[in-house]
Amino acid sequence: MSEEHHITPLKTYLLVAGTLFFLTAVTVWASYIDLGSFNIVLALLIAGTKAGIVATFFMHLLWDDKKNATIFVGSLMFLAIFIGITMTDTEFRGAVNPEIKDPINKRAAFYNSLPLTDDHGYPLDKEKNHHEGDKDHH
Amino acid sequence: MSGTNQNYLTHPKGIMSWLLTLDHKRIGLMYLFGGLFFFFIGGLLALGMRYALATPEADFVTNDQYNSMYTLHGAIMIFLFIIPAIPGALGNILLPLMLGAKDVAFPRLNLASFYLYTIGAIFFIYVMISGGVDTGWTFYTPYSTESHTNVMGTTMGVFIIGFSSILTGLNFIATVHKMRTPGLTWYKLPLFVWALYGTSLVQITATPVIAITMVLLMLERLLGIGIFDPALGGDPVLFQHFFWFYSHPAVYIMILPAFGIISEIIPVHSRKKVWGYKFIAYSTLSIAFIGFLVWGHHMFTSGQSVLSQIIFSFITYFVGIPTGVKIFSWMLTMYRGQVSFTPPMLYALSFLFLFTIGGLTGIFLGAVALDIHLHDTYFVVAHFHYVMQGGTIVAFLGGLHHWWPKSFGKMYNQTIANICAIGVFIGFNGTFFPQFLLGLRGMPRRYATYDALGSEELVAQYAATHGSSTFFSGILGLSIFIGVMNLLWSLRKSNKLDPGTNPWGALTMEWTHTTSPPHPHNFEEEPVLEHGPYDYDKVIVQPTLKK
Ligand code: HEM
Ligand SMILES: [Cu+2]
């Protein structure tokens, strides 16, 4: 049960190659524009499109058994789940507790701006230092 | 039948014919004995820890040794026994037989998987003799990038075994799609096949992530690039995302095949058609999928965002639904059946009981507010032992007893096997139920000593509870050991079954269409399907072996 082998016309190959070169140029060009954190999203979108084109035409996914395309799309979906849900953490850290938000090296500075406390969380002012109830120093 | 004297165990002969074999049954047996070997080592480590915990103070082992013991215990049990044991051993032996196929789709790849498993195992042995590793099986950063123990060796081992797992999964998926005998449509597949199929899907989608995680960890250790180290712009919590994106699905790699075994044992030993075939089949697939969306429930105290906490907690509850569907389907299968208390069935019954406790306490832990208190206490230890040992290992032992006569053509002493099954049940509950109480009273996991954890009264309470846990762990260990010895003892020469035997009167193809032990090529002619796998209402097969 040999399947018919698809022969792609040269024109398609050249067109695809052209598109890839064009998108590479767009990537370089886009990197010079400051879009903030959207830069990385854009770069990934372009790269993803290119990978998709390569898989579709050069790797013949378009003409293959559709199971292969399903697996390809499925793996992209899993990647999206992984990155997407992880971003519900990284993008929203600190929404409720601001001190969680900053990475630890900045956090040191953050804590420096707070009044100093002892191990039990009491302020380290001389007057208030010795609490009446605070007797659990063994 | 002609040529029934030929069986895969004795034909061909010689050590090389085993090491180079492409026969799925032989590869399965090699996985079986490899797995049992590491089960033994992991078990010794566990008993050592229980012994050390019987008293609050440090005696017998130093703190560093204790750290190494729990890390190796966890890593060996998970990566070298539980994950490969059921798919690698029982799955390999049974999948082609259940499909009426000659072998798996890619026999050479199958052997390659076993070689990779062996290489990974060698790394673990190297770690053990080079002083151990103390990060816990979870390898959390930042400690794992700093620990002076052999983190590299262990992560290399895990990395390599991961590939073994991926290749087995790939092989099984191709086998189920391509190797079914004519007429064996999807809904006529035994449920163990569905379970292996679901497991394989998870193996090929999740396992690459642990491989990447291990590589990132090694790069961070070796080259100091900042992926997880905040001082270099990394994020230590990201490690936990990576790790659990694999390891939560991995708990389904561990439990789904166990579900499959239970779905085989219960109808056969209740002589009843399985209730809710499609429910069981599809709940396997939905567990496999939902399992990918809940990993953050291991990270409720990691500092992840409140939004993630809520999302993960919410989705975690959904896992309970397909799991519940299965439990009820099994119970309805037994309802009004002729339940016989054979060793496989005793294990299956204790599975139902133990796994239900494990699953329900998982729901407790899925509630953020409660988990903040229970995280990293013995409550979690008890939860995952109820699901992994009470669930997976008990199911594995049940499956081993169920298919032992098939694999070897020998029957073990069923009375001893029954006593051991009951011993496992008692020993297990005695060991792990007290650990729920310890956790609720605040006893943290991974502590070598507990004499300084609180008031004298509290320490005395801990000591009493730990003490009884240790006592019962002895019963548990002994029961499993004697149970396995009982199986091995049946292999002696003088003990033989008639090759045509169908001791439990089962209807799946591995029992009805081939000999025990099977022919080297499984079936002497292409098997023709005459009935579904659980048609006990239509076909009457008598068990050929009465107790
Ligand atoms: C009903 C399904 C389940 C639910 C809702 C559930 C939920 C949870 C939660 C929330 C935790 C985190 C506890 C903490 O660290 O604070 C946990 C830990 C764990 N669960 Fe489950 N679980 C379920 C089933 C399983 C199964 C079937 C397995 C394995 C066969 C498993 C293995 C584990 C392991 C190994 C851990 C501890 C990991 C570690 O920190 O070392 N669970 N579970
Ligand atoms: Cu989990």
Side-chain angles (χ1 to χ4, degrees):
Chain A
M1 39 162 255
S2 76
E3 275 158 37
E4 183 185 336
H5 195 80
H6 182 88
I7 298 169
T8 322
L10 188 64
K11 212 174 103 198
T12 316
Y13 275 134
L14 290 177
L15 215 71
V16 171
T19 317
L20 290 175
F21 281 121
F22 173 71
L23 287 176
T24 310
V26 174
T27 312
V28 176
W29 171 71
S31 70
Y32 284 103
I33 310 171
D34 186 12
L35 298 169
S37 62
F38 193 70
N39 269 112
I40 184 95
V41 179
L42 188 66
L44 282 173
L45 273 179
I46 300 175
T49 314
K50 283 165 67 183
I53 293 175
V54 171
T56 316
F57 296 99
F58 287 167
M59 297 167 78
H60 285 240
L61 270 189
L62 187 60
W63 304 286
D64 261 356
D65 190 337
K66 288 290 168 275
K67 276 187 205 112
N68 295 331
T70 314
I71 290 171
F72 182 69
V73 174
S75 42
L76 287 182
M77 205 179 75
F78 271 95
L79 194 66
I81 289 176
F82 180 33
I83 296 179
I85 303 187
T86 300
M87 281 170 71
T88 66
D89 170 24
T90 52
E91 295 305 298
F92 293 89
R93 237 180 253 170
V96 174
N97 303 322
E99 75 275 13
I100 303 179
K101 187 175 169 191
D102 294 306
I104 290 167
N105 53 351
K106 282 191 209 148
R107 213 171 122 178
F110 174 81
Y111 273 109
N112 282 343
S113 66
L114 294 177
L116 290 176
T117 57
D118 67 11
D119 290 344
H120 301 270
Y122 295 117
L124 270 184
D125 305 349
K126 285 230 166 79
E127 312 90 76
K128 292 178 188 167
N129 206 3
H130 292 288
H131 264 260
E132 293 221 349
D134 187 13
K135 279 185 184 136
D136 53 4
H137 292 284
H138 328 279
Chain B
M1 273 191 276
S2 63
T4 34
N5 305 339
Q6 251 190 29
N7 74 59
Y8 80 102
L9 290 170
T10 53
H11 185 91
K13 281 190 169 29
I15 178 88
M16 286 323 279
S17 78
W18 281 84
L19 294 180
L20 298 177
T21 183
L22 300 180
D23 181 343
H24 65 99
K25 303 180 287 306
R26 287 188 164 199
I27 294 173
L29 285 190
M30 294 195 288
Y31 266 113
L32 178 66
F33 289 108
L36 286 177
F37 172 74
F38 284 104
F39 185 32
F40 184 68
I41 303 218
L44 286 184
L45 288 166
L47 291 176
M49 282 188 288
R50 283 304 338 151
Y51 182 68
L53 288 169
T55 54
E57 305 80 20
D59 36 30
F60 173 55
V61 285
T62 66
N63 292 353
D64 284 341
Q65 282 167 338
Y66 184 86
N67 293 344
S68 210
M69 280 166 86
Y70 73 67
T71 303
L72 283 169
H73 164 71
I76 287 177
M77 285 296 199
I78 289 178
F79 295 115
L80 289 170
F81 177 53
I82 298 187
I83 290 185
I86 299 184
L90 293 178
N92 253 323
I93 298 175
L94 294 168
L95 180 65
L97 291 173
M98 286 182 160
L99 297 179
K102 277 206 195 82
D103 207 310
V104 292
F106 310 115
R108 278 170 215 282
L109 196 65
N110 203 16
L111 185 64
S113 301
F114 179 72
Y115 285 171
L116 286 175
Y117 168 79
T118 315
I119 297 172
I122 291 171
F123 268 92
F124 268 82
I125 291 172
Y126 156 66
V127 169
M128 277 189 273
I129 52 186
S130 69
V133 54
D134 67 351
T135 58
W137 78 282
T138 48
F139 308 109
Y140 275 11
T141 54
Y143 183 62
S144 57
T145 49
E146 283 161 18
S147 165
H148 295 296
T149 56
N150 200 340
V151 181
M152 292 298 283
T154 325
T155 43
M156 253 337 260
V158 173
F159 179 80
I160 294 170
I161 293 170
F163 279 94
S164 155
S165 202
I166 295 171
L167 297 184
T168 302
L170 204 63
N171 215 339
F172 283 7
I173 289 180
T175 307
V176 176
H177 276 278
K178 291 289 179 195
M179 307 290 285
R180 283 171 287 140
T181 199
L184 186 58
T185 52
W186 282 85
Y187 292 134
K188 287 186 185 151
L189 291 175
L191 286 163
F192 185 59
V193 174
W194 277 94
L196 285 176
Y197 187 76
T199 310
S200 302
L201 284 176
V202 182
Q203 276 176 324
I204 61 168
T205 36
T207 317
V209 180
I210 190 82
I212 294 165
T213 312
M214 295 294 116
V215 170
L216 290 176
L217 184 60
M218 288 190 267
L219 288 179
E220 178 120 346
R221 263 185 87 97
L222 279 179
L223 308 175
I225 52 173
I227 295 164
F228 306 123
D229 181 355
L232 301 169
D235 180 349
V237 178
L238 190 63
F239 178 86
Q240 300 186 24
H241 281 294
F242 266 96
F243 184 82
W244 290 113
F245 185 78
Y246 163 74
S247 290
H248 185 81
V251 309
Y252 296 106
I253 297 179
M254 307 180 213
I255 200 70
L256 287 177
F259 288 165
I261 292 178
I262 300 303
S263 305
E264 295 303 321
I265 294 179
I266 287 185
V268 175
H269 297 263
S270 311
R271 313 230 49 76
K272 228 178 114 225
K273 195 181 180 94
V274 75
W275 194 92
Y277 176 95
K278 285 191 186 172
F279 279 126
I280 297 185
Y282 282 114
S283 62
T284 301
L285 297 186
S286 59
I287 289 178
F289 181 71
I290 300 174
F292 274 98
L293 307 177
V294 299
W295 75 87
H297 65 212
H298 295 273
M299 301 167 55
F300 287 153
T301 63
S302 69
Q304 72 179 340
S305 79
V306 174
L307 179 65
S308 302
Q309 307 272 68
I310 294 170
I311 293 177
F312 282 125
S313 184
F314 185 69
I315 306 179
T316 296
Y317 295 144
F318 283 105
V319 180
I321 299 172
T323 317
V325 165
K326 280 185 194 289
I327 302 267
F328 286 116
S329 301
W330 291 323
M331 299 211 301
L332 286 168
T333 304
M334 288 188 294
Y335 179 65
R336 296 200 161 168
Q338 305 166 33
V339 178
S340 48
F341 296 100
T342 53
M345 192 62 182
L346 285 187
Y347 280 111
L349 291 171
S350 57
F351 170 94
L352 285 185
F353 188 86
L354 301 176
F355 179 75
T356 303
I357 295 183
L360 285 177
T361 50
I363 304 281
F364 296 7
L365 293 171
V368 187
L370 194 54
D371 185 68
I372 296 205
H373 295 275
L374 294 177
H375 177 68
D376 269 353
T377 68
Y378 265 79
F379 194 91
V380 177
V381 176
H383 156 69
F384 67 71
H385 282 90
Y386 264 86
V387 279
M388 299 209 290
Q389 186 170 11
T392 307
I393 295 181
V394 163
F396 170 74
L397 290 171
L400 206 55
H401 283 81
H402 185 72
W403 283 294
W404 191 264
K406 172 53 42 190
S407 315
F408 294 101
K410 312 256 179 182
M411 183 51 97
Y412 44 84
N413 181 322
Q414 294 194 54
T415 314
I416 298 181
N418 275 339
I419 295 172
C420 290
I422 294 169
V424 169
F425 183 75
I426 295 173
F428 179 84
N429 281 299
T431 308
F432 291 104
F433 199 80
Q435 298 189 1
F436 283 124
L437 307 177
L438 278 171
L440 287 169
R441 304 291 330 248
M443 170 78 206
R445 69 192 275 206
R446 295 177 170 163
Y447 273 36
T449 62
Y450 48 94
D451 49 350
L453 283 185
S455 65
E456 249 170 60
E457 197 195 337
L458 185 69
V459 171
Q461 270 184 13
Y462 283 168
T465 325
H466 269 305
S468 79
S469 175
T470 300
F471 170 76
F472 280 101
S473 70
I475 298 184
L476 176 60
L478 212 61
S479 306
I480 297 181
F481 185 74
I482 299 176
V484 173
M485 284 301 141
N486 180 39
L487 290 176
L488 296 180
W489 173 239
S490 78
L491 295 182
R492 66 196 185 279
K493 272 232 165 72
S494 57
N495 185 26
K496 245 196 190 124
L497 280 180
D498 173 60
T501 189
N502 184 354
W504 322 118
L507 284 179
T508 37
M509 232 187 285
E510 82 276 19
W511 292 107
T512 51
H513 284 71
T514 183
T515 50
S516 315
H519 189 266
H521 299 297
N522 292 353
F523 304 95
E524 290 184 44
E525 53 223 52
E526 186 162 81
V528 181
L529 202 69
E530 287 124 15
H531 47 70
Y534 309 110
D535 284 346
Y536 295 101
D537 48 346
K538 299 193 195 119
V539 192
I540 296 167
V541 227
Q542 287 305 329
T544 48
L545 199 85
K546 286 273 176 230
K547 245 213 305 180

